[in-house]
Amino acid sequence: MTLKPSAFQACFEDWIKRISGIPTDGDLDIIAIDGKALRRSHDRAAGLGPLFLVSAWAVQRGISLGQLATA
């Protein structure tokens, strides 16, 4: 509870940049965006549809940049 999310995110992003060798000279990486609907994640009885996820992957670095559940 004492950890500030924005401060943690800034430190984490800085750490990832240092260990992954992300270029700082403006050279661009390829970012793959992928969306999926998770099978059997729906609940028909409650009227809920499946869970949809969108993820981003840094291709050259081989690291996941994030994943987000969407409507």
Side-chain angles (χ1 to χ4, degrees):
M1 291 180 58
T2 61
L3 188 65
K4 295 179 182 171
S6 59
F8 175 77
Q9 181 174 352
C11 290
F12 182 76
E13 288 175 358
D14 184 51
W15 176 69
I16 288 293
K17 286 177 187 173
R18 283 187 278 132
I19 66 166
S20 67
I22 292 175
T24 56
D25 59 0
D27 196 13
L28 299 176
D29 280 342
I30 294 174
I31 307 298
I33 305 295
D34 183 38
K36 293 189 182 336
L38 298 183
R39 292 180 64 180
R40 299 183 184 168
S41 60
H42 65 280
D43 185 354
R44 288 189 184 139
L48 299 175
L51 175 63
F52 293 97
L53 295 175
V54 176
S55 57
W57 179 263
V59 175
Q60 288 93 340
R61 308 295 173 203
I63 59 172
S64 176
L65 301 175
Q67 190 172 55
L68 179 69
T70 63

